[in-house]
């Protein structure tokens, strides 16, 4: 498949075109750019809701969806999911405050992360939290002490790093700072049971991100169920909670096959339905906590073209947006081999390519490249170049201070009138240290 194939499929699946223009949530990107300026993140609530629906159709009806806030912490994005009945998975006290600001009830929030701070734990314990997922001996002691000081009972789960390395599981068997090694399950369970203010309610497994194979998803869920049953046996009572993690992937690159949700549904039905009816799990709250799958396809980063130039035979399209707002698209967020995200021209979204360009941002570094060989229709200064699949791990996962450009605006569409959900930043002078 050419990248044209992937971009066309994504545009048709999630968005629309009108007279050739890319249309997001019923509004053309040209109108959005005219109204709100560029660069711009646009999130389409219709796509978020569609992704949530697709996920719910693929998983057992009993399993609740908790959106992982780290994928996109914009409060209005969180409101869309909370409004659809999801809980939220958080990884910091600030994400907790965002979750609450978005209207999420405390008991619908779970808190995971390998180095939770004393101030963070104190805050969520004081204000109320559904579950804290414990990941180290220090955290057990800290949570116990803080719960005692607050005179509260706190529901906790053990995050477990599974032993199984083989088979379809993407992760497992590795050394990691996340959670407790499975080998320590019994020992750690007893450590928690000794704490009078902690209620050990369940187990959590997060097996890695960007799973595109249905078999990997099913294997992760199976491993979670096995570990959950083992914990219930150790406790001598049923679990109240079991968290299957997130990690469902979306296609970014030409060769990425879309996650086959029908195969996920079949696999989970065949291999999990009986297991979750086991008395050890029958009364447990089952949850899944994806981020990328739910919000990734809903986001588009819209940039304006500032210059089109050639250098020794190569065409460069220089835009007003880049790695400082979208590190992942530049390939600098963990990619080993840099590949191009799906890019489309705002006015001629599905037009056949007339040129192959290197698309860069405005920063003085070759790292600020968001497309290395992008097939584009004829592209001129003032045109829009849009990066698809940008709703997850976009702005909040980027080095926004690098070169001191203003923050881009974030716009929500597909939820009534398009509206600003984060205002564009301004040029900033330093608060201290100005000469004279
Ligand atoms: C504990 C935990 N849960 C959920 C997620 C969300 O993962 P994804 O966006 O791949 O679904 C992450 C991502 O790092 C995570 O660490």
């Amino acid at each position: 498949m050419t990248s044209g194939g992937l971009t066309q499929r994504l545009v048709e699946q999630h968005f629309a075109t009108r007279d050739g223009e890319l249309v997001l949530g019923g509004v053309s990107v040209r109108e959005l750019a005219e109204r709100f300026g560029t660069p711009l993140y646009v999130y389409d609530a219709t796509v978020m809701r569609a992704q949530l629906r697709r996920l719910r159709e693929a998983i057992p009806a009993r399993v609740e969806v908790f959106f992982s806030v780290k994928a996109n912490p914009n409060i209005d994005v969180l409101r869309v999911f909370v409004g659809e009945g999801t809980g939220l998975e958080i990884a910091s006290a600030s994400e907790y405050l965002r979750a609450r600001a978005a209207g999420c009830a405390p008991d619908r929030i779970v808190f995971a992360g390998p180095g939770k701070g004393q101030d963070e734990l104190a805050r969520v314990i004081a204000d109320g939290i559904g579950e804290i997922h414990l990941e180290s001996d220090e955290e057990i002691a800290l949570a116990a002490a803080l719960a005692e000081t607050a005179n509260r009972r706190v529901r906790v789960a053990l995050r477990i790093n599974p032993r199984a390395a083989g088979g379809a599981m993407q992760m497992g068997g590795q050394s990691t700072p996340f959670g407790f090694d499975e080998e320590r399950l019994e020992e750690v369970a007893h450590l928690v049971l000794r704490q009078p203010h902690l209620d050990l309610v369940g187990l959590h497994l997060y097996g890695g991100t960007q799973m595109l194979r249905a078999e990997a998803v099913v294997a992760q869920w199976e491993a979670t169920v096995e570990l959950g049953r083992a914990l219930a046996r150790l406790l001598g009572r049923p679990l109240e909670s079991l968290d299957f993690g997130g990690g469902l992937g979306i296609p970014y690159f030409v060769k990425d096959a879309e996650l086959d949700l029908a195969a996920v549904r079949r696999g989970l039905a065949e291999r999990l339905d009986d297991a979750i009816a086991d008395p050890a799990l029958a009364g447990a709250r089952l949850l899944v906590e994806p981020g990328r799958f739910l919000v990734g396809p809903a986001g588009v980063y819209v940039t304006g073209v500032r210059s089109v130039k050639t250098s020794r035979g190569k065409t460069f399209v220089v835009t007003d947006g880049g790695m400082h707002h979208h590190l992942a698209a530049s390939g600098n967020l963990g990619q080993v081999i840099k590949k191009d995200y799906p890019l489309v021209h705002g006015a001629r979204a599905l037009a056949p390519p007339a040129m192959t360009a290197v698309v860069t941002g405005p920063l003085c570094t070759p790292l600020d490249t968001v497309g290395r060989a992008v097939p584009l229709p004829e592209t001129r200064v003032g045109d829009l170049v849009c990066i698809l699949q940008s709703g997850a791990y976009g702005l909040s996962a980027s080095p926004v201070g690098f070169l001191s450009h203003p923050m881009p605006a974030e716009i929500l569409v597909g939820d009534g009138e398009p509206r600003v959900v984060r205002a564009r930043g301004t040029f900033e002078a330093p608060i201290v240290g100005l000469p004279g």
Side-chain angles (χ1 to χ4, degrees), residues 147-165:
E148 185 175 359
T149 309
N151 196 22
R152 293 208 161 194
R153 299 191 65 80
V154 177
R155 291 165 60 85
V156 297
L158 298 177
R159 178 166 175 186
I160 296 298
N161 169 34
R163 190 186 277 132

Side-chain angles (χ1 to χ4, degrees), residues 68 70-71 89 112 159 204 206 208-210 245-248 289-293 393:
S68 183
K70 65 175 72 68
E89 182 263 338
R159 178 166 175 186
H204 171 209
Y206 177 79
T209 194
Q210 189 51 5
L248 292 95
E289 49 177 33
R292 188 189 305 278
F293 178 86
Y393 307 107

Side-chain angles (χ1 to χ4, degrees), residues 108-384:
R108 306 276 299 156
I109 303 175
V110 299
F111 187 5
K116 304 176 194 74
Q118 172 161 353
D119 48 351
E120 298 186 287
L121 286 170
R123 179 69 194 243
V124 302
I125 287 172
D127 290 1
I129 179 109
E131 278 168 33
I132 296 173
H133 293 174
L134 298 171
E135 311 210 14
S136 69
D137 296 69
E138 292 83 356
E139 234 169 58
I140 297 175
L142 193 55
L146 291 168
E148 185 175 359
T149 309
N151 196 22
R152 293 208 161 194
R153 299 191 65 80
V154 177
R155 291 165 60 85
V156 297
L158 298 177
R159 178 166 175 186
I160 296 298
N161 169 34
R163 190 186 277 132
M169 266 204 61
Q170 189 155 298
M171 275 171 60
Q174 297 166 4
S175 300
T176 151
F178 309 113
F180 297 98
D181 288 348
E182 180 184 344
E183 294 84 330
R184 295 192 61 208
L185 182 63
E186 182 167 2
E187 175 203 349
V188 172
H190 284 113
L191 280 178
V192 177
L193 288 173
R194 279 206 286 280
Q195 304 296 342
H197 288 84
L198 301 184
D199 286 331
L200 180 52
V201 295
L203 183 135
H204 171 209
L205 188 148
Y206 177 79
T209 194
Q210 189 51 5
M211 288 185 279
L212 286 173
R213 287 181 311 116
E215 183 56 24
V217 176
V218 176
Q220 177 174 308
W221 286 49
E222 267 190 309
T224 312
V225 160
E226 281 320 306
L227 284 165
R229 282 165 142 175
L231 179 59
R233 277 196 301 278
L234 282 170
L235 298 177
R237 58 174 161 82
L239 291 196
E240 291 173 49
S241 165
L242 190 63
D243 183 344
F244 296 104
L248 292 95
I250 58 172
Y252 289 99
F253 310 120
V254 173
K255 290 193 177 134
D256 286 350
E258 181 137 6
L259 176 62
D260 182 349
L261 287 174
V264 171
R265 181 172 46 229
R266 271 195 313 277
L268 293 180
E270 275 165 24
R271 282 150 58 186
L272 236 70
D273 274 2
D274 289 347
I276 59 177
D278 178 324
L281 302 177
R285 170 164 87 174
L286 305 180
L287 56 104
V288 60
E289 49 177 33
R292 188 189 305 278
F293 178 86
L294 294 176
V295 78
V300 179
Y301 181 53
V302 181
T303 67
V305 176
R306 286 184 169 165
S307 169
V308 179
K309 60 202 270 188
T310 54
S311 167
R312 304 207 168 106
K314 261 193 183 169
T315 303
F316 288 81
V317 171
V318 183
T319 73
D320 57 11
M323 70 174 286
H324 53 315
H325 297 159
H326 201 339
L327 188 66
S330 73
N332 296 301
L333 187 69
Q335 289 94 322
V336 181
I337 300 167
K338 293 181 182 175
K339 291 182 273 189
D340 293 349
Y341 265 46
L343 270 72
V344 297
H345 191 283
R348 293 181 286 284
L350 300 179
M355 60 200 257
T356 299
V358 181
V359 179
T360 78
L363 307 190
C364 302
T365 162
L367 295 178
D368 191 17
T369 300
V370 293
R372 286 141 204 95
V374 184
L376 285 171
E378 194 55 44
T379 299
R380 298 178 211 104
V381 171
D383 289 355
L384 301 172

